[in-house]
Amino acid sequence: MKNRVGAGMRIGARMIAVGLMLAAMAADVWAASDVRSVRLWRAPDNTRLVFDLSGPVQHSVFTLTAPDRIVIDISGAKLVTPLDKLALSNTPITAVRSAQRTPEDLRVVIDLSSQVTPKSFTLAPNQQYGNRLVVDLFDQASDAAPSLPSTTTASAPPVPVTPTQAPPKLAPVPGGKRDIVIAIDAGHGGEDPGALGPTKGQVEKNVTLSIAKELQRQVNAQKGFRAELVRTGDYFIPLRKRTEIARKKGADLFVSIHADAAPRAAAFGASVYALSDRGATSETARWLADAENQSDLIGGAGNVSLEDKDRMLAGVLLDLSMTASLSSSLNVGQKVLGQMGQVTPLHKRRVEQAGFMVLKSPDIPSILVETGFISNPSEARKLHSAAHQQSLSRSIVTGVKQFFEQNPPPGTYIAWLRDNGKIAQGPREHVVASGESLALIAQRYQVGLATLRTANSLKSDVIKVGQTLHIPATSLAAQP
Ligand SMILES: [Zn+2]
């Protein structure tokens, strides 16, 4: 008997404990999060809906057909914002409706004019935003849509590992005359505004897009060149996706345009950055790289992952091709910087190096152009003027053109011009990247080691990273 009573008491105590736990869980559920606002961004191949929340939620997304709809069930949430203010033009969305199924179960129904592939994930708060639920609706004609089941739940984004794609490097056609392709990347976009200027309405993402469009117009006006915009409107693109887009467009050069804030409001001037795998060359470079790389945390790069079993091999291959393109990046960067220095003050006279994620494209020379600091009131004003945007673009184009006239990719119109003696063959320059030897550089430009030594008055073969070498014209190139 005694034992039984004891057992009964223990069970009773356990039941009370369970009861308390249930009460605690119920309290959690009752403290529903508010959906404070809903934002919508249209990209060329998808529509992104962002639900701004006051706290974490659980959710599920599913598709219905005839008529096409997407249903988003958000448990532990109530809607405190209207849904009829969303700009739905140019999207496959015809209407967004909601129903509060219980005080803490919200259902949002999206009516569609065509089928889409949904992908959803939640984002934890960061410096800029609170909890968010992101629903990306990929257009079905698009090849960018990830092959995911149409229903996803839980808070972690499913992570499709995008295999590193071989670049669509076209084999150079002998005597071919293709255009040299410049990928122009307007920094930030969508829910990632970038840096903010001192005056209301001065937002980096808008300045970068205006400059990118002007730059595109000017590049396209040059025979033998074609510009492709990585971002064409106000939407977010994860950093690695940006280089992926450039690669798909067959870019010979990647130029990322920014106008960031500096740690000191008084700081001013333009700078050009190339990638560094080691340390950043200056404190500003480090600071900016950190700020830029935050972009994916702000915008939610749900599909970026390097946790790939071929990572080691990829790393080795990356290092190999990176050295070649880094040297080109430094070279083109120096030319662009030199030209920009004629139209705007420079922050630093040399190309700086830092670990910018957006520059990590192993096979495409890449530079990041800081057109100025939007945090500086007078520079922010200039950056917004059409005249200044034009002259900045003109200087960038001149630098880029200089570089490609000296180093035209085989099979391009510019290479054809050079090979036919139609470009004044000025002296070429090479900026030494880490890991390069004089012999390697001589081999790359097909000049003799001794010729290279003489042209640069070198007493030994010791060269320094960042050093500019003059490359004498080869006899082959000099022939008409
Ligand atoms: Zn930026």
Side-chain angles (χ1 to χ4, degrees):
M1 279 301 276
K2 262 190 178 177
N3 274 347
R4 263 195 191 167
V5 171
M9 278 172 68
R10 274 197 300 274
I11 289 165
R14 203 178 298 152
M15 278 174 72
I16 290 166
V18 169
L20 282 171
M21 253 172 63
L22 282 174
M25 279 164 66
D28 249 14
V29 172
W30 287 328
S33 299
D34 289 342
V35 177
R36 288 171 170 162
S37 67
V38 181
R39 292 172 289 137
L40 181 144
W41 309 99
R42 176 64 193 166
D45 62 357
N46 72 82
T47 309
R48 169 170 282 194
L49 281 162
V50 182
F51 296 83
D52 290 301
L53 306 158
S54 63
V57 294
Q58 294 284 313
H59 80 284
S60 63
V61 176
F62 58 94
T63 310
L64 295 173
T65 50
D68 290 319
R69 281 155 295 161
I70 295 282
V71 178
I72 306 165
D73 278 335
I74 311 174
S75 55
K78 60 181 197 294
L79 190 69
V80 298
T81 182
L83 292 175
D84 52 5
K85 300 277 182 292
L86 294 167
L88 303 178
S89 60
N90 296 322
T91 76
I93 303 174
T94 53
V96 181
R97 300 173 281 134
S98 74
Q100 200 72 48
R101 298 202 301 162
T102 74
E104 58 277 341
D105 283 313
L106 173 67
R107 169 166 285 186
V108 176
V109 178
I110 298 170
D111 295 316
L112 299 159
S113 57
S114 58
Q115 287 192 0
V116 297
T117 306
K119 184 193 153 196
S120 64
F121 54 94
T122 53
L123 289 169
N126 61 32
Q127 292 147 321
Q128 215 156 345
Y129 294 107
N131 285 89
R132 284 157 293 161
L133 165 62
V134 179
V135 181
D136 285 333
L137 307 175
F138 288 89
D139 302 351
Q140 288 208 340
S142 153
D143 57 356
S147 51
L148 283 173
S150 61
T151 304
T152 55
T153 48
S155 57
V159 181
V161 175
T162 315
T164 312
Q165 284 173 336
K169 275 256 165 75
L170 304 169
V173 182
K177 292 182 192 169
R178 72 165 178 91
D179 286 339
I180 289 173
V181 180
I182 315 294
I184 304 171
D185 170 50
H188 312 278
E191 71 260 37
D192 169 21
L196 305 179
T199 307
K200 198 175 182 298
Q202 293 179 331
V203 184
E204 185 184 357
K205 66 173 181 179
N206 299 337
V207 170
T208 59
L209 188 60
S210 311
I211 296 174
K213 285 181 171 168
E214 173 59 22
L215 187 56
Q216 181 192 36
R217 194 185 64 76
Q218 293 196 20
V219 168
N220 285 342
Q222 306 289 330
K223 188 164 165 55
F225 288 87
R226 191 177 83 241
E228 296 278 0
L229 291 182
V230 171
R231 172 165 82 81
T232 55
D234 190 12
Y235 50 90
F236 178 77
I237 308 175
L239 295 176
R240 283 193 190 274
K241 177 92 192 289
R242 291 174 189 253
T243 53
E244 211 175 280
I245 292 172
R247 188 169 293 117
K248 276 198 186 129
K249 303 217 182 241
D252 295 289
L253 175 68
F254 179 86
V255 182
S256 190
I257 303 288
H258 287 261
D260 275 276
R264 293 180 304 116
F268 68 96
S271 0
V272 174
Y273 292 84
L275 184 70
S276 159
D277 255 357
R278 311 219 174 126
T281 42
S282 78
E283 202 48 47
T284 315
R286 187 172 301 120
W287 192 88
L288 278 173
D290 282 351
E292 289 307 337
N293 294 344
Q294 286 284 319
S295 186
D296 274 353
L297 293 177
I298 297 165
N303 56 353
V304 173
S305 173
L306 288 176
E307 298 306 320
D308 175 0
K309 53 178 175 297
D310 288 336
R311 199 172 166 179
M312 284 293 287
L313 176 64
V316 172
L317 294 173
L318 199 75
D319 275 355
L320 283 175
S321 54
M322 196 95 97
T323 315
S325 69
L326 182 55
S327 159
S328 295
S329 303
L330 289 169
N331 188 344
V332 67
Q334 197 58 52
K335 290 193 163 59
V336 167
L337 196 62
Q339 293 298 323
M340 289 183 81
Q342 300 182 20
V343 300
T344 197
L346 296 182
H347 186 62
K348 285 273 163 62
R349 302 212 69 83
R350 258 187 60 182
V351 175
E352 294 197 79
Q353 290 183 263
F356 289 101
M357 186 76 79
V358 77
L359 299 180
K360 288 192 175 170
S361 194
D363 45 355
I364 307 172
S366 308
I367 54 171
L368 187 145
V369 177
E370 285 288 355
T371 50
F373 290 114
I374 202 169
S375 46
N376 179 299
S378 83
E379 205 150 57
R381 232 182 351 264
K382 267 170 51 184
L383 286 168
H384 280 82
S385 94
H388 189 63
Q389 292 180 356
Q390 280 165 17
S391 59
L392 281 174
S393 301
R394 206 170 304 123
S395 67
I396 297 171
V397 171
T398 309
V400 166
K401 225 179 127 185
Q402 259 178 12
F403 169 76
F404 279 115
E405 284 181 350
Q406 291 173 9
N407 309 277
T412 58
Y413 174 72
I414 304 299
W416 177 85
L417 281 186
R418 191 218 30 205
D419 294 344
N420 287 279
K422 293 182 199 297
I423 293 178
Q425 181 76 358
R428 290 177 295 173
E429 282 173 355
H430 178 91
V431 182
V432 179
S434 95
E436 288 185 327
S437 67
L438 196 65
L440 187 95
I441 296 164
Q443 196 186 22
R444 186 172 313 146
Y445 290 97
Q446 298 182 313
V447 296
L449 189 54
T451 318
L452 190 58
R453 227 182 269 131
T454 315
N456 291 279
S457 323
L458 296 175
K459 295 196 175 66
S460 75
D461 287 359
V462 180
I463 47 176
K464 283 188 296 196
V465 173
Q467 184 177 351
T468 301
L469 295 177
H470 304 286
I471 311 292
T474 58
S475 54
L476 183 76
Q479 273 168 10

